Amino acid sequence: MPMLGDVLAAARRSSGDFMRWLEATDRDLVGRIAAAADPAGESPTSYVRAAVADFGQYASEDDWATLTSRLRDTDDPGTVCLRTMVEWRLTAEAAARRAPVDIKEEDR
């Protein structure tokens, strides 16, 4: 079994291949990635690369535990890793859009 660092490096390198594979297998996820990438001026491939970086920097211990469990239970760790990280970023961004706005102390 590859080490997690190897899987993450492969995920970063293969995000373009991942997008081509997704276009053939999961058009819904491709659409969600494109919709999320467009307002930020990112390409879908850049969005996937950013998802890997964001997951590495911001994911919680529970998110990492979920990822490692999924990696343990699959024959395709690269795809599972990328898909998990992309879904995590899409979910985090959706939650951020629904979050209440902070009211500054002087505005109260």
Side-chain angles (χ1 to χ4, degrees):
M1 174 177 258
M3 301 299 288
L4 183 57
D6 297 331
V7 172
L8 293 174
R12 279 187 218 97
R13 286 191 309 271
S14 65
S15 58
D17 292 337
F18 178 71
M19 287 304 300
R20 283 188 288 283
W21 174 81
L22 266 184
E23 288 169 359
T25 61
D26 192 342
R27 301 289 298 158
D28 178 60
L29 184 54
V30 170
R32 291 172 54 212
I33 292 169
D38 187 53
E42 293 179 294
S43 71
T45 299
S46 293
Y47 186 89
V48 171
R49 285 190 183 113
V52 173
D54 287 351
F55 191 93
Q57 187 168 3
Y58 301 114
S60 70
E61 288 182 26
D62 288 341
D63 297 323
W64 279 101
T66 298
L67 174 61
T68 55
S69 293
R70 289 178 181 170
L71 291 174
R72 182 194 62 226
D73 298 336
T74 185
D75 293 331
D76 189 0
T79 299
V80 167
C81 184
L82 279 172
R83 187 179 210 105
T84 299
M85 291 177 174
V86 167
E87 290 283 355
W88 174 87
R89 186 173 186 213
L90 289 166
T91 300
E93 289 176 350
R97 285 191 302 273
R98 290 189 303 269
V101 177
D102 280 340
I103 298 173
K104 295 178 186 174
E105 191 66 35
E106 65 266 12
D107 292 338
R108 291 182 194 200

